[in-house]
Amino acid sequence: MRRLLTTMTMLALTTTMALAQAFDNLPNPIEDVNKVVDNTPDSIAKALMSRPAPGSTRKGANPVLFLVGNSTMRNGTKGDGSNGQWGWGYYASQYFNGNKITVENQALGGMSTRTFYRKLWPDVRKALRPGDWVIISIGHNDNGPFDSGRARAVIPGTSDDSLAVTIKETGEHEVVYSYGGYLRRYIAECRQAGAHPILMSLTPRDDYDATTGKIVRKPQTGWAAVVAAEEGVPFVDLNEISGRKLDSYSHWKEKYHFYGDHIHTSYWGAQMNARSAAEGLMASRNPDLEPLKAMMTGVELPVWPVERKKGKPVVWITGDSTVKNKDSEKDGMWGWGALAATVFDTTKCTPYNAAMAGRSTRSYIREGRWEKVYNALQPGDFVLIQFGHNDICPIADKKARGVIPGTGDTCHVYHLEDGGRFELVYSFGWYLKKMIDDAREKGATPILVSLTTRNEWPGGHVERRNDSYGKWYREVVADTGCEFVDAHNLIADYLDKHYKSKESAAKYFNHDHTHTSYMGAKNNAKMIAKGIRLAKSPLAAYLK
């Protein structure tokens, strides 16, 4: 048995290397007709070694969900975001129960419907077993020359037309079919293997229609829908589902769903498309998808379990341990958010403390805590946003919470210590602006609250960080017009007036120079209420 497996491995390796050599004979990468420089097909030897061998993730007799696509589904040689771009296939598995089905991302950047079918599909097809599933979402690269260079163009539409070509560089003869013609071949060969094909339209691009002002919908959508109807296979309009989401965003938000160009997605865009694909599958009324839907999980939007009462807005409180701490023992550490009911009139509003100790703007968002606020927001809600104590930390260490100092719309790809994953990290101000923009999108009122004061007394006065965080908060306020409560200076004014040193202010704090006692947290809540009134915020109407 071991000898047989070794022989099979060597045969697979020989096939892989032969295919790699064929692609590696391509000329140096140049900008293609889509205005994109895609290096993946030109280093396909590495790419094929990085992709899972078709069928290799199968667990026992469980089915496999194979993903067929291009760089919008799997970006870069390894598809791990090292270039700041992610394909949605990277995140697709989070919507499927791994104990029932495995998700195999067989997509590869630079592939067209035609070149994937000729070069990569044969190995996928051999790995198919009865009961497997195949999502086919490909077509971004189906233009360009038919018979030279990457020779990846297909005949537009769904006709039965074909075109005999000779590839200029190799002399190879090939019959080229229409977009629909290739889809019909994928479908037929899936069915021959007992697998279930699913057609899915393309991901949208960062491209607005000049007439409608909405994201352009791709023509392949209609073609795929026609083929799906003719062949009786499920169809999910990913282009429309994600397109509607992009249409609902501000232009600023829509832009950061892409990175590097107008086609390839950032982490945000890849996550959005993965969720859209899952939502499309789950919402489908096609009975053929019921077995697959039974293996799906996590499709419902995550939200904080707030108990809403009619006519009462929710006051969302986000932040770190200065907002939410242990909040249980009178002599312990308290965050002011735990005492929000001492300043807010709970007969008029519902304060909800969604803060989490140890978080920065970046880690609070990355961990999905902000998403749960965003998903739960309703028009008329208020969102208090207060971060800073954990933001200027190491960026790539295991805690992964540091941000780029400042407020510019800047970002950089970092290779993190924890698991070696890659992350596109932004500035402190960028993360604040994201939360502000998200809140407004939902009809809620965002309010920036500067970070609480620490028990540090340089020069005989309590520390004020107005040259860093204070400056950045004000820059974001100037840029966005967001309401602002300067809790930092209000608390500092109070401490300077009532205490004269670190020692005398010790009872205001607990354990260290940052975290407050019950008394300190309660007073911080009062200072924030004072700031809300000074700002003449509509939220003042909900204070005691």
Side-chain angles (χ1 to χ4, degrees):
M1 176 63 74
R2 183 176 299 174
R3 182 176 298 173
L4 177 61
L5 289 173
T6 302
T7 302
M8 292 173 65
T9 301
M10 292 304 297
L11 285 172
L13 181 61
T14 301
T15 302
T16 295
M17 293 308 296
L19 183 56
Q21 289 172 3
F23 271 83
D24 285 341
N25 288 330
L26 288 169
N28 290 331
I30 57 174
E31 184 177 85
D32 67 14
V33 294
N34 299 315
K35 305 297 182 182
V36 171
V37 176
D38 193 327
N39 297 322
T40 308
D42 309 306
S43 58
I44 200 169
K46 293 180 181 178
L48 291 179
M49 296 300 182
S50 299
R51 288 162 66 247
S56 62
T57 66
R58 190 183 304 279
K59 294 180 180 179
N62 286 358
V64 175
L65 170 60
F66 294 91
L67 305 183
V68 171
N70 49 42
S71 56
T72 61
M73 188 182 279
R74 178 189 180 88
N75 195 281
T77 300
K78 293 185 176 180
D80 58 3
S82 58
N83 60 352
Q85 297 173 340
W86 278 262
W88 69 263
Y90 188 84
Y91 299 105
S93 61
Q94 65 192 356
Y95 297 107
F96 294 87
N97 186 334
N99 294 320
K100 296 180 178 180
I101 187 170
T102 50
V103 179
E104 231 174 66
N105 188 3
Q106 289 297 333
L108 184 64
M111 292 291 104
S112 70
T113 314
R114 165 189 170 189
T115 54
F116 192 103
Y117 180 77
R118 293 188 64 245
K119 304 296 184 180
L120 303 182
W121 176 247
D123 284 340
V124 175
R125 185 181 62 222
K126 291 175 186 175
L128 293 177
R129 299 291 179 268
D132 284 347
W133 299 81
V134 185
I135 291 178
I136 303 157
S137 176
I138 193 167
H140 280 292
N141 302 310
D142 286 11
N143 51 3
F146 285 98
D147 59 356
S148 63
R150 291 184 180 165
R152 56 189 185 181
V154 306
I155 299 170
T158 64
S159 71
D160 291 326
D161 294 343
S162 62
L163 176 68
V165 299
T166 301
I167 309 303
K168 293 178 181 178
E169 292 83 355
T170 65
E172 182 183 6
H173 299 290
E174 182 184 349
V175 177
V176 178
Y177 302 98
S178 71
Y179 180 72
Y182 284 106
L183 293 185
R184 284 190 282 266
R185 282 164 172 76
Y186 285 114
I187 290 168
E189 291 171 22
C190 283
R191 285 172 165 165
Q192 287 170 7
H196 309 290
I198 302 169
L199 295 189
M200 193 171 284
S201 57
L202 307 182
T203 59
R205 297 187 181 193
D206 173 25
D207 184 16
Y208 284 97
D209 185 290
T211 303
T212 65
K214 295 183 180 296
I215 291 292
V216 172
R217 305 311 199 249
K218 300 292 291 180
Q220 285 90 342
T221 297
W223 303 338
V226 167
V227 173
E230 290 175 347
E231 298 294 326
V233 301
F235 172 68
V236 173
D237 195 351
L238 176 60
N239 197 248
E240 179 61 26
I241 298 170
S242 285
R244 283 199 305 266
K245 292 178 182 178
L246 293 174
D247 286 339
S248 72
Y249 300 158
S250 68
H251 282 336
W252 180 80
K253 180 174 181 176
E254 183 271 334
K255 294 295 180 188
Y256 71 67
H257 279 67
F258 299 85
Y259 183 75
D261 54 49
H262 296 287
I263 297 174
H264 299 107
T265 47
S266 65
Y267 160 86
W268 311 103
Q271 281 277 18
M272 179 198 68
N273 286 330
R275 171 166 282 284
S276 294
E279 290 170 345
L281 290 169
M282 190 59 78
S284 174
R285 296 181 180 179
N286 191 316
D288 293 344
L289 286 177
E290 292 304 316
L292 181 63
K293 289 161 69 171
M295 295 183 279
M296 296 182 69
T297 185
V299 182
E300 290 187 11
L301 292 173
V303 296
W304 291 110
V306 64
E307 185 178 346
R308 285 189 177 271
K309 295 184 179 179
K310 188 175 181 179
K312 292 172 61 174
V314 175
V315 180
W316 298 91
I317 305 171
T318 66
D320 50 37
S321 57
T322 63
V323 182
K324 187 174 186 177
N325 213 300
K326 293 183 178 179
D327 306 330
S328 57
E329 300 175 358
K330 276 284 187 171
D331 295 330
M333 294 184 290
W334 287 75
W336 72 262
L339 301 170
T342 64
V343 295
F344 287 105
D345 186 343
T346 56
T347 67
K348 296 179 179 179
C349 67
T350 302
Y352 190 89
N353 190 1
M356 184 64 184
R359 270 53 185 182
S360 65
T361 49
R362 168 190 167 199
S363 62
Y364 188 84
I365 292 172
R366 186 191 65 245
E367 293 173 1
R369 300 178 190 280
W370 172 252
E371 182 188 6
K372 291 167 73 173
V373 174
Y374 170 76
N375 291 335
L377 286 175
Q378 293 186 11
D381 284 353
F382 296 88
V383 189
L384 300 178
I385 304 167
Q386 183 181 54
F387 289 92
H389 286 290
N390 303 308
D391 287 76
I392 305 306
C393 293
I395 289 179
D397 69 355
K398 290 186 177 180
K399 290 185 176 179
R401 58 186 184 178
V403 303
I404 298 172
T407 60
D409 281 354
T410 184
C411 58
H412 183 73
V413 179
Y414 287 86
H415 193 195
L416 307 185
E417 293 176 9
D418 185 15
R421 64 184 180 85
F422 294 90
E423 185 176 340
L424 199 58
V425 179
Y426 300 80
S427 74
F428 178 68
W430 187 93
Y431 290 109
L432 292 180
K433 283 185 275 188
K434 171 179 170 49
M435 288 186 272
I436 291 168
D437 187 69
D438 282 349
R440 286 173 168 168
E441 175 193 322
K442 291 299 194 78
T445 300
I447 302 173
L448 285 187
V449 182
S450 56
L451 74 173
T452 58
T453 312
R454 301 192 303 179
N455 192 21
E456 294 290 354
W457 295 74
H461 292 279
V462 75
E463 173 193 67
R464 298 181 191 241
R465 290 190 273 181
N466 289 321
D467 59 344
S468 55
Y469 289 105
K471 175 175 177 287
W472 302 333
Y473 269 108
R474 284 176 169 79
E475 286 176 352
V476 172
V477 170
D479 190 33
T480 64
C482 184
E483 292 184 21
F484 178 52
V485 172
D486 192 2
H488 185 73
N489 284 297
L490 288 171
I491 296 168
D493 289 344
Y494 179 90
L495 292 174
D496 269 338
K497 180 178 179 180
H498 294 88
Y499 304 97
K500 301 301 179 185
S501 67
K502 183 172 185 176
E503 291 71 26
S504 64
K507 63 182 180 181
Y508 197 95
F509 296 85
N510 185 294
H511 184 69
D512 54 32
H513 60 24
T514 301
H515 301 104
T516 47
S517 64
Y518 180 90
M519 182 269 287
K522 189 174 182 180
N523 194 71
N524 281 355
K526 289 180 180 179
M527 293 300 101
I528 288 167
K530 179 180 178 180
I532 291 170
R533 288 192 176 94
L534 288 172
K536 297 181 180 179
S537 169
L539 183 55
Y542 298 92
L543 294 171
K544 289 183 176 179

